[in-house]
Amino acid sequence: MLLDGDAWRTLFDRFESEAWRLEVQPTYTMPGEADSFARFLRGEPKPESHNSRWHGRVKGYRAGGKCVGRVRIVRQPLTDYQRYQFAWGIPGNLAAGEDIRVLDLTETDLGLPDFDFWMFDKTRIVRLNYRPDGTQINRELVDDDPAIYREWQRIAIEASVPFSSYVESQGGART
């Protein structure tokens, strides 16, 4: 089943305890981020309201006792988009209460999928389908056995490090 607009938001907001994402794309071409990404590339300062809608949602989930997390897969050198995420996106997400970890697969392969997905309460899986340029094609609620997704989550979490540790290991914000 494909999920868009209200259907996606409704499904997302229905989780009871945990929403977790595996992020594997080197670049995401998001229409809503085009302006801020261009500003980042020009070296302009980050707007105060950057990603504030997501931050509000995460704060609401956390206030309700829910967890939101993700593992961001990278390979060196980081893409411009990953540098943008690390400088403008992730710090605010962390401050809002999201648990974000980084898994550098530059020199290893752990058998993780090459596609993004959200897993809700370890049972509902939404696969995020992208074109090679990072443009999202669709979101698809799949009826796959969630056991393999839970295993991928376990592997990704165990092999990753907290965002702040990754940034420190790379020499600070210059990632």
Side-chain angles (χ1 to χ4, degrees):
M1 175 168 107
L2 298 182
L3 299 169
D4 268 329
D6 290 340
W8 168 237
R9 175 79 187 250
T10 299
L11 181 127
F12 197 109
D13 288 342
R14 276 193 359 223
F15 79 94
E16 295 178 16
S17 61
E18 179 189 45
W20 186 84
R21 180 175 177 174
L22 182 67
E23 264 185 341
V24 305
Q25 306 304 314
T27 298
Y28 296 93
T29 306
M30 308 293 290
E33 290 181 338
D35 182 56
S36 63
F37 184 45
R39 292 174 76 176
F40 168 79
L41 292 175
R42 289 190 302 263
E44 295 177 14
K46 178 176 79 170
E48 289 293 321
S49 64
H50 181 75
N51 216 14
S52 60
R53 285 192 354 209
W54 175 246
H55 299 158
R57 288 179 69 191
V58 171
K59 287 176 183 177
Y61 299 139
R62 297 293 294 145
K66 301 175 182 182
C67 298
V68 180
R70 70 181 77 205
V71 169
R72 177 60 167 114
I73 292 179
V74 299
R75 289 177 179 81
Q76 294 295 330
L78 297 181
T79 65
D80 286 343
Y81 186 85
Q82 290 167 333
R83 290 185 315 99
Y84 162 72
Q85 276 190 320
F86 281 33
W88 282 28
I90 293 175
N93 293 3
L94 290 168
E98 189 174 352
D99 176 30
I100 302 176
R101 302 176 63 85
V102 179
L103 176 55
D104 191 328
L105 293 180
T106 303
E107 298 181 15
T108 191
D109 179 4
L110 299 176
L112 295 170
D114 63 354
F115 57 86
D116 289 34
F117 66 88
W118 276 100
M119 180 167 52
F120 301 97
D121 301 320
K122 299 197 184 293
T123 58
R124 287 188 323 259
I125 311 300
V126 175
R127 183 171 171 166
L128 309 174
N129 299 305
Y130 292 89
R131 291 187 179 97
D133 72 350
T135 302
Q136 189 175 80
I137 299 167
N138 58 36
R139 296 177 203 97
E140 180 181 9
L141 180 63
V142 296
D143 60 1
D144 300 349
D145 181 350
I148 187 63
Y149 293 86
R150 289 191 297 265
E151 179 62 9
W152 288 332
Q153 179 189 34
R154 183 195 64 75
I155 292 167
I157 289 173
E158 286 181 7
S160 63
V161 297
F163 173 76
S164 60
S165 298
Y166 182 79
V167 170
E168 288 171 19
S169 75
Q170 299 299 305
R174 294 183 316 269
T175 59

